[in-house]
Amino acid sequence: MFRAAALLLALVVVGATAGAADARRSDNRKKPVLFIHGFELDGDADCASNWNPMKRKFRAWGHKGKFWTIAYYRGDTNCAHWLGHHGRHSRHFGHRGRAHGTNTNLRHLGYHLAWTIWNHYSRRGKRVDVVAHSMGGLIIRYALAQTQRNHRRFPPYLLVEDVVTMGTPHGGARWFTIFCSLKQCRQMRMGSDFLVWLERNGWNPRGRGGTDWSTFGSTDDNIVPADRAAGTARDRSPIHDYIGSCHKVWYRGAANIGHSDFKTKTSKRITAPVYRFNCQDGAWRKDNDSHWPVRRADLAVTFGNR
């Protein structure tokens, strides 16, 4: 009886603590937003073509904070900041030289990203939001997971209030990774050591004060299956998820959202056909009047209940 009562008290205390952390949310459009692109076979992403449509809409909808498009490949162009300035290239699954390519371990990129956020924002007490496409979502997930686990090569903590991932292979990408021998392709294969590690150690990684995760997938994404991107089982059963995100959005076939469309579907109309999950009620719901991806991302990084 005593042990049961003690356990119940502990759960109440933990719940109250988590609630207190989330209660400190800013819920505004004043924070900096970091945009992290996905995998590029040639290792040369153009941050302008990747993110300009979304950035313009975010500004139009009232975002006042700084926008940072992050470069991590040696061939990246038109990006605001290269994460290789922070941390050491020889550390944490590191390499010789200073260049990153498609054979650079995602763990190493997560290490650099963690120190980038720490040096520019967290150590100064500033919170940020993150919007990541495709593989970029795995990089921020790993950065937060290892920091939360107090890994000795990572910063003391990170202040990341919201993370939105769009078309991220939390449960693995499609068939192309089987025929691709590049390190990053192998890490994105379903069942890879890297993805299994994330499920076990980065289920719902949180920065100091809490991090609210939103994960988007689409039936028409020919790169990452909807279930593996939204982070749920194919039948949307809670028995097996790939990530413990509080907000999951599955764009149904009628929405015609391809892998790159997450970043460019900027309509403000509330007409998107989706399945939605919110951890506050713990149920999947079919919705024919939902937000399109860019607007959904804007609301997700602004409010904790979206």
Side-chain angles (χ1 to χ4, degrees), residues 126-243:
K126 296 181 179 179
R127 296 186 181 191
V128 300
D129 294 327
V130 175
V131 177
H133 180 246
S134 195
M135 189 180 77
L138 299 179
I139 298 173
I140 180 60
R141 185 178 176 186
Y142 185 81
L144 278 168
Q146 286 288 37
T147 301
Q148 185 180 27
R149 296 176 74 244
N150 298 313
H151 191 289
R152 66 188 183 91
R153 295 294 191 191
F154 282 68
Y157 58 87
L158 294 177
L159 298 175
V160 178
E161 188 164 86
D162 300 283
V163 177
V164 174
T165 69
M166 306 177 296
T168 291
H170 293 291
R174 290 193 187 272
W175 57 269
F176 79 92
T177 58
I178 299 174
F179 303 99
C180 174
S181 61
L182 297 168
K183 178 69 173 180
Q184 289 169 4
C185 288
R186 298 198 305 272
Q187 290 186 299
M188 288 190 290
R189 289 175 189 166
M190 187 174 186
S192 72
D193 290 344
F194 177 68
L195 294 182
V196 169
W197 187 94
L198 283 176
E199 282 192 45
R200 293 174 178 172
N201 301 281
W203 176 248
N204 184 15
R206 297 162 64 86
R208 177 175 288 185
T211 301
D212 187 47
W213 283 81
S214 300
T215 51
F216 302 175
S218 172
T219 297
D220 285 339
D221 188 336
N222 62 357
I223 302 297
V224 181
D227 56 321
R228 301 181 202 171
T232 184
R234 289 186 181 182
D235 60 357
R236 296 177 301 283
S237 166
I239 295 175
H240 179 76
D241 287 353
Y242 299 109
I243 181 173

Side-chain angles (χ1 to χ4, degrees), residues 50 52 77 81 108 113 162 182-183 188 195 202 211 234 282 284 303:
N50 265 277
N52 278 357
T77 57
H81 194 76
H108 183 67
L113 179 60
D162 300 283
L182 297 168
K183 178 69 173 180
M188 288 190 290
L195 294 182
T211 301
R234 289 186 181 182
W284 280 93
F303 304 106

Side-chain angles (χ1 to χ4, degrees), residues 245-267:
S245 48
C246 191
H247 313 287
K248 304 177 191 287
V249 182
W250 179 324
Y251 286 91
R252 300 184 348 243
N256 296 314
I257 302 294
H259 191 63
S260 296
D261 294 333
F262 290 106
K263 300 172 293 181
T264 60
K265 294 292 186 180
T266 60
S267 174

Side-chain angles (χ1 to χ4, degrees), residues 11-54:
L11 289 173
V12 169
V13 170
V14 169
T17 303
D22 292 339
R24 295 194 297 269
R25 284 188 54 87
S26 59
D27 276 1
N28 62 49
R29 293 182 171 91
K30 297 179 181 180
K31 299 185 299 298
V33 181
L34 278 62
F35 297 91
I36 308 171
H37 70 76
F39 174 77
E40 292 286 347
L41 186 61
D42 297 326
D44 56 355
D46 181 350
C47 285
S49 61
N50 265 277
W51 296 114
N52 278 357
M54 182 177 287

